[in-house]
Amino acid sequence: MELRKFRQRGPFEWEMPSTGRMRVPGVIFASRELMEAMDEKVAEQVANVASLPGIVTASYAMPDAHWGYGFPIGGVAAFDADEGGVVSAGGVGFDISCGVRTLHTGLKQADIEAHKKRLADVLYARIPAGVGSTGALRLSGPETDAMLKGGARWAVKEGYGSEADLAHIEESGCVAGADPRAVSDMAKKRQRDEMGTLGSGNHYLEVQLVDEVFDAAAAQAYGLAKGDVVVSIHCGSRGLGHQIGTDYLREMVIAAPAAGIALPDRELACAPLKSALGQRYLGAMRAGINCALANRQILTQLAREAFAEVFPHVRLPLLYDVSHNTCKEETHRVGDERRRLFVHRKGATRAFGPGHAELPREYREAGQPVLIGGSMGTASWILAGAAGTEERAFGSACHGAGRAMSRNEALRRWHGRNVVDELAARGILIRSPSFRGVAEEAPLAYKDVGAVVDAAHRAGLAVKVARLLPLVCIKG
DNA sequence: ATGTGC
């Protein structure tokens, strides 16, 4: 993109001064190279978000930002309800609470090498993956409502995983204020048989190797060492979250004019936090968060059962679970005061720094684990929320690599079967129901996740802790 | 992301 409209605050921080309808400045965290490669539309979308009522401090974009629906993916924006602030369905995204969790296995690379192929096959047999995939569960109406209110806590109660898992999930696995009545029957119906499924697109379950450690103290706090094998799960709220997004986007577009909100882009549809519609969306969106947390919890149990088949004595304790499509009510310092704000993170991860009261005690000194999913066949990263990140972007960091080319262009360029073969030759086993999906997700269709993580580190958003390389990938 | 597309 054109860099002339930015004022550089530092080598990794670019300010777009407030002009026209913008109420606050825009700020993008990135290296010069990432800025130059970034789509012009990101700046446009950051500026559009800056024009929304009640926005506080600035409209932010992370180093992996790219063009999204209304808000950029990689966008962070906080709103104050007392100043006419809004909540936006497009500011959360369609896959509500899509996120990543990472599990320890206690295994080393040498333990796994001879069993890798069998492990891949067993995982693929047990983890439902792909468009429209269904799970073993069939939820009744009352069970659906209990799941939407209870999140991962509900899943544990149903026998998926243990109480110990909950302490290593944001909000202890269950976000308050979920309102199942605000979720349409259609959304619930779509989710009836999709609990414990991976879905499609960039979602996956991956067995990974800790290939390098960058921060010894944080790695120790997280229980990570070079040569460890871990499992990461990337997925969200499936059909339910998508339907909530669709339902409320439509309502917000219709209601905006009466609420006195002039939208620079229809896709930015939003509702005042203090309106009935805004409150209903918050209730539904929180139910969507709980659905995603329950989904990842069930998948965790399926992964544990698969591992037990190959390695009978292995346990898979949860390192941490982060969501990267949310709007959360949080307390942040703005100037000299502490204020309750509604922080939208769309394709951005919460990244609370050291000492934050909401972190589990064992991670409090190191900062929040920030789990960055790589693209298929490339590295993933574990970072730690940095000191001072709450002053910079309301305690947020990047979430992944970000696409470098469209799905269509990737389909023209690669064949799924060849991608699988090439990765297998490098020792990375892919199992997927869709060769088309594999081609769309080819490693080179994404930006270099290393450059993104480096920019986040050097911008002071999060600290590099460990790099993970893929061994086995169950791809949706 | 998505019972993949107004």
Side-chain angles (χ1 to χ4, degrees):
Chain A
M1 68 165 78
E2 181 64 65
L3 298 187
R4 267 181 308 188
K5 58 177 167 272
F6 293 92
R7 187 182 73 82
Q8 230 176 327
R9 286 179 172 179
F12 296 89
E13 194 169 338
W14 306 73
E15 179 186 316
M16 197 189 321
S18 173
T19 56
R21 295 168 59 172
M22 292 169 71
R23 297 165 192 259
V24 292
V27 174
I28 304 179
F29 296 97
S31 64
R32 177 175 289 274
E33 292 71 26
L34 286 168
M35 285 296 285
E36 281 167 349
M38 211 175 269
D39 193 328
E40 201 70 51
K41 291 208 170 67
V42 174
E44 202 178 295
Q45 293 191 318
V46 166
N48 285 344
V49 171
S51 78
L52 294 175
I55 186 164
V56 175
T57 311
S59 162
Y60 295 102
M62 299 292 121
D64 52 340
H66 54 287
W67 183 26
Y69 189 93
F71 283 49
I73 295 161
V76 175
F79 296 83
D80 187 332
D82 291 332
E83 294 186 356
V86 294
V87 61
S88 166
V92 171
F94 281 81
D95 191 2
I96 295 168
S97 198
C98 181
V100 182
R101 65 164 54 186
T102 297
L103 313 162
H104 299 285
T105 69
L107 297 166
K108 290 288 188 183
Q109 184 176 21
D111 301 325
I112 205 169
E113 211 47 54
H115 306 280
K116 213 160 71 175
K117 193 175 169 304
R118 176 142 176 265
L119 185 60
D121 293 335
V122 170
L123 281 167
Y124 186 53
R126 285 187 181 260
I127 306 285
V131 180
S133 50
T134 55
L137 267 159
R138 295 289 174 275
L139 295 187
S140 69
E143 283 168 334
T144 301
D145 287 0
M147 177 273 288
L148 295 174
K149 281 193 90 70
R153 188 168 291 281
W154 169 86
V156 167
K157 220 178 291 164
E158 294 294 310
Y160 301 95
S162 69
E163 195 72 25
D165 296 332
L166 299 174
H168 286 188
I169 306 175
E170 291 178 328
E171 281 99 10
S172 303
C174 172
V175 68
D179 182 5
R181 292 167 309 175
V183 178
S184 67
D185 289 340
M186 175 65 87
K188 291 174 184 172
K189 186 175 151 214
R190 283 180 66 173
Q191 198 59 26
R192 270 187 73 90
D193 51 8
E194 287 192 348
M195 293 309 293
T197 66
L198 214 42
S200 65
N202 63 4
H203 291 166
Y204 58 77
L205 180 148
E206 207 164 77
V207 182
Q208 302 161 325
L209 173 69
V210 178
D211 139 80
E212 190 152 359
V213 165
F214 295 83
D215 184 313
Q220 195 181 5
Y222 296 168
L224 293 169
K226 186 171 172 167
D228 284 357
V229 173
V230 298
V231 175
S232 293
I233 299 171
H234 177 206
C235 67
S237 51
R238 306 286 284 107
L240 181 124
H242 189 267
Q243 191 63 44
I244 291 171
T246 305
D247 292 341
Y248 278 92
L249 195 91
R250 188 185 301 129
E251 270 199 73
M252 285 177 176
V253 169
I254 295 167
I261 300 170
L263 297 173
D265 173 358
R266 179 185 178 280
E267 295 184 354
L268 281 174
C270 56
L273 284 155
K274 287 198 166 173
S275 68
L277 175 55
Q279 288 299 311
R280 264 200 296 127
Y281 174 70
L282 281 176
M285 188 265 313
R286 288 163 176 159
I289 292 179
N290 284 335
C291 174
L293 296 178
N295 192 29
R296 290 199 285 275
Q297 187 64 32
I298 295 170
L299 284 163
T300 296
Q301 197 54 26
L302 298 181
R304 285 170 174 160
E305 288 165 11
F307 264 78
E309 228 181 281
V310 184
F311 303 101
H313 302 297
V314 160
R315 291 178 58 253
L316 268 62
L318 178 57
L319 195 166
Y320 206 60
D321 178 303
V322 295
S323 297
H324 49 230
N325 281 352
T326 57
C327 175
K328 290 185 177 177
E329 187 177 3
E330 297 170 1
T331 302
H332 287 279
R333 210 177 73 195
V334 182
D336 289 335
E337 27 171 23
R338 293 185 69 75
R339 288 161 69 176
R340 290 299 276 176
L341 301 174
F342 290 80
V343 184
H344 293 65
R345 296 188 184 89
K346 179 186 185 181
T349 302
R350 198 189 76 177
F352 287 160
H356 199 289
E358 282 187 37
L359 298 181
R361 191 169 304 278
E362 58 274 31
Y363 300 156
R364 205 166 289 167
E365 206 179 321
Q368 184 203 304
V370 175
L371 309 175
I372 311 284
S375 48
M376 190 182 58
T378 67
S380 293
W381 287 79
I382 296 179
L383 283 67
T389 181
E390 285 167 72
E391 319 285 311
R392 245 166 251 124
F394 301 111
S396 311
C398 57
H399 85 306
R403 288 199 80 88
M405 72 177 67
S406 71
R407 293 186 176 276
N408 275 328
E409 193 179 344
L411 284 176
R412 280 197 294 275
R413 226 181 257 215
W414 294 290
H415 287 289
R417 187 175 290 276
N418 295 345
V419 173
V420 169
D421 289 347
E422 281 160 27
L423 289 171
R426 288 168 40 204
I428 302 167
L429 305 183
I430 308 293
R431 295 289 185 273
S432 173
S434 165
F435 278 123
R436 179 197 168 106
V438 168
E440 289 179 357
E441 296 290 320
L444 291 173
Y446 280 81
K447 286 186 243 189
D448 175 12
V449 67
V452 167
V453 162
D454 211 50
H457 178 96
R458 296 172 77 178
L461 297 170
V463 177
K464 290 201 275 190
V465 177
R467 182 173 61 208
L468 315 174
L469 295 183
L471 299 171
V472 171
C473 178
I474 310 304
K475 189 78 190 159

